[in-house]
PDB file of all heavy atoms in Angstrom:
ATOM      1  N   THR A1087       5.048   9.398 -18.209  1.00  0.00           N
ATOM      2  CA  THR A1087       6.143   9.118 -17.295  1.00  0.00           C
ATOM      3  C   THR A1087       7.091  10.298 -17.231  1.00  0.00           C
ATOM      4  O   THR A1087       7.240  11.060 -18.207  1.00  0.00           O
ATOM      5  CB  THR A1087       6.896   7.875 -17.730  1.00  0.00           C
ATOM      6  OG1 THR A1087       7.413   8.062 -19.042  1.00  0.00           O
ATOM      7  CG2 THR A1087       6.003   6.648 -17.706  1.00  0.00           C
ATOM      8  N   GLY A1088       7.714  10.444 -16.083  1.00  0.00           N
ATOM      9  CA  GLY A1088       8.650  11.511 -15.882  1.00  0.00           C
ATOM     10  C   GLY A1088       8.008  12.755 -15.296  1.00  0.00           C
ATOM     11  O   GLY A1088       6.787  12.954 -15.376  1.00  0.00           O
ATOM     12  N   GLY A1089       8.790  13.571 -14.673  1.00  0.00           N
ATOM     13  CA  GLY A1089       8.282  14.836 -14.088  1.00  0.00           C
ATOM     14  C   GLY A1089       7.779  14.647 -12.682  1.00  0.00           C
ATOM     15  O   GLY A1089       7.606  13.533 -12.154  1.00  0.00           O
ATOM     16  N   ASP A1090       7.495  15.761 -12.045  1.00  0.00           N
ATOM     17  CA  ASP A1090       7.058  15.771 -10.652  1.00  0.00           C
ATOM     18  C   ASP A1090       5.668  15.141 -10.460  1.00  0.00           C
ATOM     19  O   ASP A1090       5.458  14.419  -9.489  1.00  0.00           O
ATOM     20  CB  ASP A1090       7.067  17.176 -10.106  1.00  0.00           C
ATOM     21  CG  ASP A1090       8.510  17.672  -9.871  1.00  0.00           C
ATOM     22  OD1 ASP A1090       9.409  16.793  -9.701  1.00  0.00           O
ATOM     23  OD2 ASP A1090       8.727  18.898  -9.899  1.00  0.00           O
ATOM     24  N   PRO A1091       4.673  15.417 -11.310  1.00  0.00           N
ATOM     25  CA  PRO A1091       3.353  14.783 -11.069  1.00  0.00           C
ATOM     26  C   PRO A1091       3.443  13.252 -11.115  1.00  0.00           C
ATOM     27  O   PRO A1091       2.801  12.592 -10.308  1.00  0.00           O
ATOM     28  CB  PRO A1091       2.476  15.328 -12.237  1.00  0.00           C
ATOM     29  CG  PRO A1091       3.139  16.533 -12.668  1.00  0.00           C
ATOM     30  CD  PRO A1091       4.607  16.354 -12.434  1.00  0.00           C
ATOM     31  N   TYR A1092       4.233  12.728 -11.990  1.00  0.00           N
ATOM     32  CA  TYR A1092       4.390  11.268 -12.103  1.00  0.00           C
ATOM     33  C   TYR A1092       5.059  10.719 -10.832  1.00  0.00           C
ATOM     34  O   TYR A1092       4.618   9.709 -10.293  1.00  0.00           O
ATOM     35  CB  TYR A1092       5.211  10.915 -13.323  1.00  0.00           C
ATOM     36  CG  TYR A1092       5.496   9.427 -13.461  1.00  0.00           C
ATOM     37  CD1 TYR A1092       4.456   8.551 -13.833  1.00  0.00           C
ATOM     38  CD2 TYR A1092       6.717   8.888 -13.194  1.00  0.00           C
ATOM     39  CE1 TYR A1092       4.680   7.219 -13.928  1.00  0.00           C
ATOM     40  CE2 TYR A1092       6.966   7.536 -13.303  1.00  0.00           C
ATOM     41  CZ  TYR A1092       5.919   6.690 -13.671  1.00  0.00           C
ATOM     42  OH  TYR A1092       6.171   5.351 -13.783  1.00  0.00           O
ATOM     43  N   LYS A1093       6.087  11.395 -10.352  1.00  0.00           N
ATOM     44  CA  LYS A1093       6.764  10.925  -9.129  1.00  0.00           C
ATOM     45  C   LYS A1093       5.844  10.968  -7.928  1.00  0.00           C
ATOM     46  O   LYS A1093       5.830  10.064  -7.097  1.00  0.00           O
ATOM     47  CB  LYS A1093       8.017  11.756  -8.874  1.00  0.00           C
ATOM     48  CG  LYS A1093       9.122  11.491  -9.826  1.00  0.00           C
ATOM     49  CD  LYS A1093      10.331  12.348  -9.504  1.00  0.00           C
ATOM     50  CE  LYS A1093      11.418  12.167 -10.529  1.00  0.00           C
ATOM     51  NZ  LYS A1093      12.565  13.026 -10.302  1.00  0.00           N
ATOM     52  N   ALA A1094       5.014  12.021  -7.855  1.00  0.00           N
ATOM     53  CA  ALA A1094       4.078  12.134  -6.713  1.00  0.00           C
ATOM     54  C   ALA A1094       3.036  11.033  -6.803  1.00  0.00           C
ATOM     55  O   ALA A1094       2.691  10.390  -5.787  1.00  0.00           O
ATOM     56  CB  ALA A1094       3.409  13.508  -6.729  1.00  0.00           C
ATOM     57  N   TYR A1095       2.517  10.776  -8.012  1.00  0.00           N
ATOM     58  CA  TYR A1095       1.532   9.694  -8.205  1.00  0.00           C
ATOM     59  C   TYR A1095       2.131   8.345  -7.836  1.00  0.00           C
ATOM     60  O   TYR A1095       1.511   7.550  -7.133  1.00  0.00           O
ATOM     61  CB  TYR A1095       1.073   9.715  -9.670  1.00  0.00           C
ATOM     62  CG  TYR A1095       0.209   8.539 -10.017  1.00  0.00           C
ATOM     63  CD1 TYR A1095      -1.123   8.472  -9.650  1.00  0.00           C
ATOM     64  CD2 TYR A1095       0.716   7.462 -10.738  1.00  0.00           C
ATOM     65  CE1 TYR A1095      -1.913   7.406  -9.952  1.00  0.00           C
ATOM     66  CE2 TYR A1095      -0.045   6.380 -11.080  1.00  0.00           C
ATOM     67  CZ  TYR A1095      -1.355   6.342 -10.693  1.00  0.00           C
ATOM     68  OH  TYR A1095      -2.128   5.275 -11.014  1.00  0.00           O
ATOM     69  N   LYS A1096       3.333   8.097  -8.268  1.00  0.00           N
ATOM     70  CA  LYS A1096       4.007   6.831  -8.018  1.00  0.00           C
ATOM     71  C   LYS A1096       4.248   6.628  -6.518  1.00  0.00           C
ATOM     72  O   LYS A1096       4.036   5.548  -5.985  1.00  0.00           O
ATOM     73  CB  LYS A1096       5.305   6.804  -8.786  1.00  0.00           C
ATOM     74  CG  LYS A1096       5.988   5.466  -8.823  1.00  0.00           C
ATOM     75  CD  LYS A1096       7.174   5.506  -9.757  1.00  0.00           C
ATOM     76  CE  LYS A1096       7.990   4.251  -9.672  1.00  0.00           C
ATOM     77  NZ  LYS A1096       9.169   4.280 -10.474  1.00  0.00           N
ATOM     78  N   THR A1097       4.635   7.704  -5.825  1.00  0.00           N
ATOM     79  CA  THR A1097       4.863   7.633  -4.380  1.00  0.00           C
ATOM     80  C   THR A1097       3.572   7.326  -3.644  1.00  0.00           C
ATOM     81  O   THR A1097       3.545   6.456  -2.767  1.00  0.00           O
ATOM     82  CB  THR A1097       5.466   8.955  -3.889  1.00  0.00           C
ATOM     83  OG1 THR A1097       6.683   9.213  -4.598  1.00  0.00           O
ATOM     84  CG2 THR A1097       5.744   8.907  -2.403  1.00  0.00           C
ATOM     85  N   ARG A1098       2.522   8.034  -3.995  1.00  0.00           N
ATOM     86  CA  ARG A1098       1.203   7.793  -3.332  1.00  0.00           C
ATOM     87  C   ARG A1098       0.701   6.387  -3.591  1.00  0.00           C
ATOM     88  O   ARG A1098       0.135   5.744  -2.717  1.00  0.00           O
ATOM     89  CB  ARG A1098       0.197   8.822  -3.752  1.00  0.00           C
ATOM     90  CG  ARG A1098       0.354  10.139  -2.994  1.00  0.00           C
ATOM     91  CD  ARG A1098      -0.710  11.109  -3.353  1.00  0.00           C
ATOM     92  NE  ARG A1098      -0.133  12.043  -4.292  1.00  0.00           N
ATOM     93  CZ  ARG A1098      -0.718  12.521  -5.366  1.00  0.00           C
ATOM     94  NH1 ARG A1098      -1.960  12.250  -5.627  1.00  0.00           N
ATOM     95  NH2 ARG A1098      -0.112  13.342  -6.175  1.00  0.00           N
ATOM     96  N   LEU A1099       0.879   5.898  -4.805  1.00  0.00           N
ATOM     97  CA  LEU A1099       0.414   4.548  -5.145  1.00  0.00           C
ATOM     98  C   LEU A1099       1.204   3.495  -4.356  1.00  0.00           C
ATOM     99  O   LEU A1099       0.614   2.558  -3.833  1.00  0.00           O
ATOM    100  CB  LEU A1099       0.577   4.307  -6.640  1.00  0.00           C
ATOM    101  CG  LEU A1099       0.073   2.958  -7.145  1.00  0.00           C
ATOM    102  CD1 LEU A1099      -1.421   2.863  -6.921  1.00  0.00           C
ATOM    103  CD2 LEU A1099       0.383   2.831  -8.612  1.00  0.00           C
ATOM    104  N   SER A1100       2.489   3.663  -4.237  1.00  0.00           N
ATOM    105  CA  SER A1100       3.295   2.687  -3.498  1.00  0.00           C
ATOM    106  C   SER A1100       2.936   2.721  -2.019  1.00  0.00           C
ATOM    107  O   SER A1100       2.912   1.660  -1.372  1.00  0.00           O
ATOM    108  CB  SER A1100       4.800   2.916  -3.701  1.00  0.00           C
ATOM    109  OG  SER A1100       5.190   4.119  -3.143  1.00  0.00           O
ATOM    110  N   MET A1101       2.645   3.881  -1.469  1.00  0.00           N
ATOM    111  CA  MET A1101       2.226   3.967  -0.059  1.00  0.00           C
ATOM    112  C   MET A1101       0.887   3.255   0.139  1.00  0.00           C
ATOM    113  O   MET A1101       0.717   2.546   1.130  1.00  0.00           O
ATOM    114  CB  MET A1101       2.138   5.438   0.378  1.00  0.00           C
ATOM    115  CG  MET A1101       3.498   6.086   0.539  1.00  0.00           C
ATOM    116  SD  MET A1101       3.480   7.859   0.667  1.00  0.00           S
ATOM    117  CE  MET A1101       2.466   8.145   2.072  1.00  0.00           C
ATOM    118  N   ALA A1102      -0.017   3.429  -0.778  1.00  0.00           N
ATOM    119  CA  ALA A1102      -1.351   2.780  -0.672  1.00  0.00           C
ATOM    120  C   ALA A1102      -1.196   1.280  -0.750  1.00  0.00           C
ATOM    121  O   ALA A1102      -1.827   0.505  -0.010  1.00  0.00           O
ATOM    122  CB  ALA A1102      -2.273   3.297  -1.768  1.00  0.00           C
ATOM    123  N   LEU A1103      -0.342   0.792  -1.636  1.00  0.00           N
ATOM    124  CA  LEU A1103      -0.138  -0.664  -1.760  1.00  0.00           C
ATOM    125  C   LEU A1103       0.519  -1.248  -0.512  1.00  0.00           C
ATOM    126  O   LEU A1103       0.180  -2.355  -0.118  1.00  0.00           O
ATOM    127  CB  LEU A1103       0.700  -0.964  -3.026  1.00  0.00           C
ATOM    128  CG  LEU A1103      -0.021  -0.762  -4.342  1.00  0.00           C
ATOM    129  CD1 LEU A1103       0.939  -0.986  -5.485  1.00  0.00           C
ATOM    130  CD2 LEU A1103      -1.205  -1.697  -4.447  1.00  0.00           C
ATOM    131  N   ARG A1104       1.439  -0.516   0.064  1.00  0.00           N
ATOM    132  CA  ARG A1104       2.062  -0.987   1.296  1.00  0.00           C
ATOM    133  C   ARG A1104       1.072  -1.082   2.430  1.00  0.00           C
ATOM    134  O   ARG A1104       1.154  -1.944   3.292  1.00  0.00           O
ATOM    135  CB  ARG A1104       3.237  -0.093   1.692  1.00  0.00           C
ATOM    136  CG  ARG A1104       4.523  -0.582   1.065  1.00  0.00           C
ATOM    137  CD  ARG A1104       5.689   0.251   1.550  1.00  0.00           C
ATOM    138  NE  ARG A1104       5.822   1.363   0.606  1.00  0.00           N
ATOM    139  CZ  ARG A1104       6.176   2.566   0.886  1.00  0.00           C
ATOM    140  NH1 ARG A1104       6.490   2.863   2.132  1.00  0.00           N
ATOM    141  NH2 ARG A1104       6.280   3.502  -0.027  1.00  0.00           N
ATOM    142  N   LEU A1105       0.093  -0.166   2.472  1.00  0.00           N
ATOM    143  CA  LEU A1105      -0.928  -0.224   3.526  1.00  0.00           C
ATOM    144  C   LEU A1105      -1.865  -1.418   3.325  1.00  0.00           C
ATOM    145  O   LEU A1105      -2.286  -2.037   4.288  1.00  0.00           O
ATOM    146  CB  LEU A1105      -1.760   1.060   3.528  1.00  0.00           C
ATOM    147  CG  LEU A1105      -1.119   2.290   4.155  1.00  0.00           C
ATOM    148  CD1 LEU A1105      -2.004   3.484   3.938  1.00  0.00           C
ATOM    149  CD2 LEU A1105      -0.859   2.055   5.619  1.00  0.00           C
ATOM    150  N   LEU A1106      -2.154  -1.732   2.071  1.00  0.00           N
ATOM    151  CA  LEU A1106      -3.062  -2.840   1.802  1.00  0.00           C
ATOM    152  C   LEU A1106      -2.380  -4.212   1.998  1.00  0.00           C
ATOM    153  O   LEU A1106      -3.040  -5.156   2.413  1.00  0.00           O
ATOM    154  CB  LEU A1106      -3.598  -2.747   0.362  1.00  0.00           C
ATOM    155  CG  LEU A1106      -4.586  -1.630   0.118  1.00  0.00           C
ATOM    156  CD1 LEU A1106      -4.918  -1.524  -1.350  1.00  0.00           C
ATOM    157  CD2 LEU A1106      -5.858  -1.873   0.916  1.00  0.00           C
ATOM    158  N   TRP A1107      -1.111  -4.311   1.688  1.00  0.00           N
ATOM    159  CA  TRP A1107      -0.406  -5.562   1.800  1.00  0.00           C
ATOM    160  C   TRP A1107       0.851  -5.362   2.666  1.00  0.00           C
ATOM    161  O   TRP A1107       1.967  -5.284   2.143  1.00  0.00           O
ATOM    162  CB  TRP A1107      -0.005  -6.095   0.429  1.00  0.00           C
ATOM    163  CG  TRP A1107      -1.203  -6.537  -0.321  1.00  0.00           C
ATOM    164  CD1 TRP A1107      -1.892  -7.704  -0.143  1.00  0.00           C
ATOM    165  CD2 TRP A1107      -1.874  -5.842  -1.375  1.00  0.00           C
ATOM    166  NE1 TRP A1107      -2.945  -7.742  -1.038  1.00  0.00           N
ATOM    167  CE2 TRP A1107      -2.956  -6.640  -1.788  1.00  0.00           C
ATOM    168  CE3 TRP A1107      -1.652  -4.611  -1.998  1.00  0.00           C
ATOM    169  CZ2 TRP A1107      -3.805  -6.242  -2.788  1.00  0.00           C
ATOM    170  CZ3 TRP A1107      -2.500  -4.232  -3.001  1.00  0.00           C
ATOM    171  CH2 TRP A1107      -3.555  -5.033  -3.399  1.00  0.00           C
ATOM    172  N   PRO A1108       0.675  -5.354   3.989  1.00  0.00           N
ATOM    173  CA  PRO A1108       1.857  -5.190   4.855  1.00  0.00           C
ATOM    174  C   PRO A1108       2.764  -6.419   4.772  1.00  0.00           C
ATOM    175  O   PRO A1108       2.333  -7.516   4.487  1.00  0.00           O
ATOM    176  CB  PRO A1108       1.255  -4.995   6.247  1.00  0.00           C
ATOM    177  CG  PRO A1108      -0.105  -5.563   6.165  1.00  0.00           C
ATOM    178  CD  PRO A1108      -0.550  -5.438   4.739  1.00  0.00           C
ATOM    179  N   LYS A1109       4.052  -6.212   5.076  1.00  0.00           N
ATOM    180  CA  LYS A1109       5.013  -7.264   4.976  1.00  0.00           C
ATOM    181  C   LYS A1109       4.900  -8.295   6.099  1.00  0.00           C
ATOM    182  O   LYS A1109       5.018  -9.478   5.880  1.00  0.00           O
ATOM    183  CB  LYS A1109       6.441  -6.685   5.007  1.00  0.00           C
ATOM    184  CG  LYS A1109       6.719  -5.711   3.907  1.00  0.00           C
ATOM    185  CD  LYS A1109       7.333  -6.417   2.746  1.00  0.00           C
ATOM    186  CE  LYS A1109       7.751  -5.410   1.699  1.00  0.00           C
ATOM    187  NZ  LYS A1109       7.330  -5.704   0.420  1.00  0.00           N
ATOM    188  N   ARG A1110       4.725  -7.843   7.316  1.00  0.00           N
ATOM    189  CA  ARG A1110       4.691  -8.718   8.471  1.00  0.00           C
ATOM    190  C   ARG A1110       3.277  -9.211   8.749  1.00  0.00           C
ATOM    191  O   ARG A1110       2.300  -8.482   8.565  1.00  0.00           O
ATOM    192  CB  ARG A1110       5.234  -8.030   9.702  1.00  0.00           C
ATOM    193  CG  ARG A1110       6.725  -7.749   9.588  1.00  0.00           C
ATOM    194  CD  ARG A1110       7.204  -7.092  10.860  1.00  0.00           C
ATOM    195  NE  ARG A1110       6.484  -5.833  11.058  1.00  0.00           N
ATOM    196  CZ  ARG A1110       7.084  -4.687  11.111  1.00  0.00           C
ATOM    197  NH1 ARG A1110       8.381  -4.594  11.031  1.00  0.00           N
ATOM    198  NH2 ARG A1110       6.383  -3.571  11.297  1.00  0.00           N
ATOM    199  N   GLN A1111       3.172 -10.439   9.248  1.00  0.00           N
ATOM    200  CA  GLN A1111       1.891 -11.030   9.554  1.00  0.00           C
ATOM    201  C   GLN A1111       1.163 -10.305  10.682  1.00  0.00           C
ATOM    202  O   GLN A1111      -0.038 -10.140  10.673  1.00  0.00           O
ATOM    203  CB  GLN A1111       2.055 -12.512   9.888  1.00  0.00           C
ATOM    204  CG  GLN A1111       0.794 -13.282   9.947  1.00  0.00           C
ATOM    205  CD  GLN A1111       0.122 -13.491   8.608  1.00  0.00           C
ATOM    206  OE1 GLN A1111       0.678 -13.183   7.561  1.00  0.00           O
ATOM    207  NE2 GLN A1111      -1.092 -13.950   8.634  1.00  0.00           N
ATOM    208  N   GLU A1112       1.930  -9.855  11.693  1.00  0.00           N
ATOM    209  CA  GLU A1112       1.304  -9.215  12.849  1.00  0.00           C
ATOM    210  C   GLU A1112       0.859  -7.778  12.558  1.00  0.00           C
ATOM    211  O   GLU A1112       0.133  -7.194  13.325  1.00  0.00           O
ATOM    212  CB  GLU A1112       2.236  -9.246  14.100  1.00  0.00           C
ATOM    213  CG  GLU A1112       3.473  -8.379  13.933  1.00  0.00           C
ATOM    214  CD  GLU A1112       4.648  -9.107  13.289  1.00  0.00           C
ATOM    215  OE1 GLU A1112       4.524 -10.265  12.884  1.00  0.00           O
ATOM    216  OE2 GLU A1112       5.721  -8.469  13.179  1.00  0.00           O
ATOM    217  N   GLN A1113       1.320  -7.223  11.452  1.00  0.00           N
ATOM    218  CA  GLN A1113       0.950  -5.853  11.088  1.00  0.00           C
ATOM    219  C   GLN A1113      -0.112  -5.908   9.996  1.00  0.00           C
ATOM    220  O   GLN A1113       0.184  -5.853   8.807  1.00  0.00           O
ATOM    221  CB  GLN A1113       2.201  -5.093  10.579  1.00  0.00           C
ATOM    222  CG  GLN A1113       1.927  -3.689  10.177  1.00  0.00           C
ATOM    223  CD  GLN A1113       3.167  -3.062   9.543  1.00  0.00           C
ATOM    224  OE1 GLN A1113       4.101  -3.747   9.228  1.00  0.00           O
ATOM    225  NE2 GLN A1113       3.122  -1.802   9.300  1.00  0.00           N
ATOM    226  N   ARG A1114      -1.335  -6.100  10.360  1.00  0.00           N
ATOM    227  CA  ARG A1114      -2.421  -6.289   9.408  1.00  0.00           C
ATOM    228  C   ARG A1114      -2.907  -4.943   8.839  1.00  0.00           C
ATOM    229  O   ARG A1114      -2.850  -3.949   9.500  1.00  0.00           O
ATOM    230  CB  ARG A1114      -3.595  -6.978  10.089  1.00  0.00           C
ATOM    231  CG  ARG A1114      -3.290  -8.389  10.507  1.00  0.00           C
ATOM    232  CD  ARG A1114      -3.970  -9.344   9.595  1.00  0.00           C
ATOM    233  NE  ARG A1114      -3.805 -10.672  10.088  1.00  0.00           N
ATOM    234  CZ  ARG A1114      -3.281 -11.632   9.347  1.00  0.00           C
ATOM    235  NH1 ARG A1114      -2.897 -11.372   8.141  1.00  0.00           N
ATOM    236  NH2 ARG A1114      -3.160 -12.845   9.821  1.00  0.00           N
ATOM    237  N   SER A1115      -3.385  -5.015   7.634  1.00  0.00           N
ATOM    238  CA  SER A1115      -4.018  -3.863   7.020  1.00  0.00           C
ATOM    239  C   SER A1115      -5.349  -3.587   7.711  1.00  0.00           C
ATOM    240  O   SER A1115      -6.020  -4.512   8.157  1.00  0.00           O
ATOM    241  CB  SER A1115      -4.228  -4.155   5.534  1.00  0.00           C
ATOM    242  OG  SER A1115      -5.088  -3.194   4.971  1.00  0.00           O
ATOM    243  N   PRO A1116      -5.780  -2.341   7.738  1.00  0.00           N
ATOM    244  CA  PRO A1116      -7.131  -2.060   8.307  1.00  0.00           C
ATOM    245  C   PRO A1116      -8.226  -2.617   7.417  1.00  0.00           C
ATOM    246  O   PRO A1116      -9.346  -2.766   7.850  1.00  0.00           O
ATOM    247  CB  PRO A1116      -7.211  -0.530   8.328  1.00  0.00           C
ATOM    248  CG  PRO A1116      -6.121  -0.043   7.434  1.00  0.00           C
ATOM    249  CD  PRO A1116      -5.080  -1.128   7.393  1.00  0.00           C
ATOM    250  N   PHE A1117      -7.898  -3.014   6.182  1.00  0.00           N
ATOM    251  CA  PHE A1117      -8.887  -3.567   5.243  1.00  0.00           C
ATOM    252  C   PHE A1117      -8.862  -5.085   5.243  1.00  0.00           C
ATOM    253  O   PHE A1117      -9.602  -5.702   4.519  1.00  0.00           O
ATOM    254  CB  PHE A1117      -8.639  -3.047   3.853  1.00  0.00           C
ATOM    255  CG  PHE A1117      -8.636  -1.565   3.762  1.00  0.00           C
ATOM    256  CD1 PHE A1117      -7.449  -0.857   3.654  1.00  0.00           C
ATOM    257  CD2 PHE A1117      -9.815  -0.845   3.831  1.00  0.00           C
ATOM    258  CE1 PHE A1117      -7.439   0.520   3.562  1.00  0.00           C
ATOM    259  CE2 PHE A1117      -9.824   0.533   3.778  1.00  0.00           C
ATOM    260  CZ  PHE A1117      -8.640   1.211   3.647  1.00  0.00           C
ATOM    261  N   TRP A1118      -7.988  -5.695   6.051  1.00  0.00           N
ATOM    262  CA  TRP A1118      -7.858  -7.165   6.051  1.00  0.00           C
ATOM    263  C   TRP A1118      -9.075  -7.802   6.675  1.00  0.00           C
ATOM    264  O   TRP A1118      -9.527  -7.410   7.750  1.00  0.00           O
ATOM    265  CB  TRP A1118      -6.601  -7.591   6.799  1.00  0.00           C
ATOM    266  CG  TRP A1118      -6.330  -9.054   6.709  1.00  0.00           C
ATOM    267  CD1 TRP A1118      -5.676  -9.667   5.674  1.00  0.00           C
ATOM    268  CD2 TRP A1118      -6.671 -10.073   7.629  1.00  0.00           C
ATOM    269  NE1 TRP A1118      -5.599 -11.007   5.881  1.00  0.00           N
ATOM    270  CE2 TRP A1118      -6.204 -11.270   7.092  1.00  0.00           C
ATOM    271  CE3 TRP A1118      -7.306 -10.055   8.853  1.00  0.00           C
ATOM    272  CZ2 TRP A1118      -6.387 -12.474   7.765  1.00  0.00           C
ATOM    273  CZ3 TRP A1118      -7.491 -11.264   9.487  1.00  0.00           C
ATOM    274  CH2 TRP A1118      -7.013 -12.448   8.948  1.00  0.00           C
ATOM    275  N   ARG A1119      -9.623  -8.801   5.980  1.00  0.00           N
ATOM    276  CA  ARG A1119     -10.758  -9.552   6.495  1.00  0.00           C
ATOM    277  C   ARG A1119     -10.483 -11.037   6.337  1.00  0.00           C
ATOM    278  O   ARG A1119     -10.149 -11.460   5.236  1.00  0.00           O
ATOM    279  CB  ARG A1119     -12.060  -9.180   5.737  1.00  0.00           C
ATOM    280  CG  ARG A1119     -12.437  -7.732   5.937  1.00  0.00           C
ATOM    281  CD  ARG A1119     -13.900  -7.454   6.089  1.00  0.00           C
ATOM    282  NE  ARG A1119     -14.816  -8.533   6.051  1.00  0.00           N
ATOM    283  CZ  ARG A1119     -16.005  -8.447   5.457  1.00  0.00           C
ATOM    284  NH1 ARG A1119     -16.358  -7.399   4.813  1.00  0.00           N
ATOM    285  NH2 ARG A1119     -16.834  -9.494   5.512  1.00  0.00           N
ATOM    286  N   PRO A1120     -10.598 -11.783   7.409  1.00  0.00           N
ATOM    287  CA  PRO A1120     -10.274 -13.225   7.294  1.00  0.00           C
ATOM    288  C   PRO A1120     -11.168 -13.968   6.326  1.00  0.00           C
ATOM    289  O   PRO A1120     -10.707 -14.884   5.650  1.00  0.00           O
ATOM    290  CB  PRO A1120     -10.445 -13.750   8.738  1.00  0.00           C
ATOM    291  CG  PRO A1120     -11.057 -12.667   9.514  1.00  0.00           C
ATOM    292  CD  PRO A1120     -10.959 -11.402   8.762  1.00  0.00           C
ATOM    293  N   ASP A1121     -12.467 -13.576   6.233  1.00  0.00           N
ATOM    294  CA  ASP A1121     -13.341 -14.287   5.292  1.00  0.00           C
ATOM    295  C   ASP A1121     -12.938 -13.996   3.846  1.00  0.00           C
ATOM    296  O   ASP A1121     -13.002 -14.913   3.009  1.00  0.00           O
ATOM    297  CB  ASP A1121     -14.789 -13.896   5.547  1.00  0.00           C
ATOM    298  CG  ASP A1121     -15.043 -12.418   5.473  1.00  0.00           C
ATOM    299  OD1 ASP A1121     -14.104 -11.649   5.729  1.00  0.00           O
ATOM    300  OD2 ASP A1121     -16.206 -12.032   5.212  1.00  0.00           O
TER     301      ASP A1121
END
């Protein structure tokens, strides 16, 4: 923990999680599958 590599990793991870689980129902992830 700490330092620039950790901050960059944390930022990229949070961006990936936001793409997988969007907040609004009408804004679906490209990976969302109803089944």
Side-chain angles (χ1 to χ4, degrees):
T1087 58
D1090 288 335
Y1092 177 73
K1093 287 180 185 176
Y1095 171 77
K1096 191 173 172 183
T1097 302
R1098 279 185 259 140
L1099 183 63
S1100 67
M1101 287 166 59
L1103 288 175
R1104 270 185 269 145
L1105 284 173
L1106 289 173
W1107 291 283
K1109 301 267 187 229
R1110 293 183 299 241
Q1111 191 70 9
E1112 67 272 3
Q1113 180 188 10
R1114 294 253 186 236
S1115 166
F1117 303 105
W1118 187 82
R1119 295 219 1 218
D1121 56 334

